[in-house]
Amino acid sequence: MSGFSQERLMQVLLAPQISEKATFIADKNEQVVFKVASCATKPEVKAAVELLFKVEVKSVQIANVKGKVKRFGKTMGRRKGWKKAFVCLKPGQEINFAAGE
């Protein structure tokens, strides 16, 4: 946790991303997918996961997800974009959301 305040790290991770694709990635590559704050960086995400879940993180990849264009009545609008983090855990490490960890 080099240089990050604990309050900041508690605000970085927003929610786990539970979907078919995320489950497939978790089984195949030992990765976990999180929805993170839009201003989060890779080192912050790594430190936050290690602090909250007591696991060792191997690497982090981050993707910006653009909001969909949707119709609201007569006008076109856009949903808000968000950031997604793929956290690769070291061998032997796992985070189980179903067990309530």
Side-chain angles (χ1 to χ4, degrees), residues 1 3-14 37 44 48 51-52:
M1 289 187 297
F4 300 117
S5 69
Q6 194 164 353
E7 294 84 22
R8 170 68 182 151
L9 294 180
M10 297 299 244
Q11 296 172 350
V12 169
L13 297 179
L14 301 179
E44 285 178 335
L51 173 72
L52 292 173

Side-chain angles (χ1 to χ4, degrees), residues 11-57:
Q11 296 172 350
V12 169
L13 297 179
L14 301 179
Q17 183 68 23
I18 309 286
S19 64
E20 286 184 35
K21 185 177 180 180
T23 306
F24 178 74
I25 288 172
D27 292 341
K28 185 178 177 196
N29 302 335
E30 294 183 10
Q31 288 183 328
V32 185
V33 184
F34 289 100
K35 202 178 257 197
V36 296
S38 60
C39 58
T41 62
K42 288 181 182 184
E44 285 178 335
V45 171
K46 180 178 179 178
V49 171
E50 288 178 348
L51 173 72
L52 292 173
F53 298 104
K54 309 290 190 273
V55 294
E56 293 182 34
V57 175

Side-chain angles (χ1 to χ4, degrees), residues 2 15 48 59-60 75 89 92 100:
S2 59
S59 65
V60 177
T75 61
L89 302 175

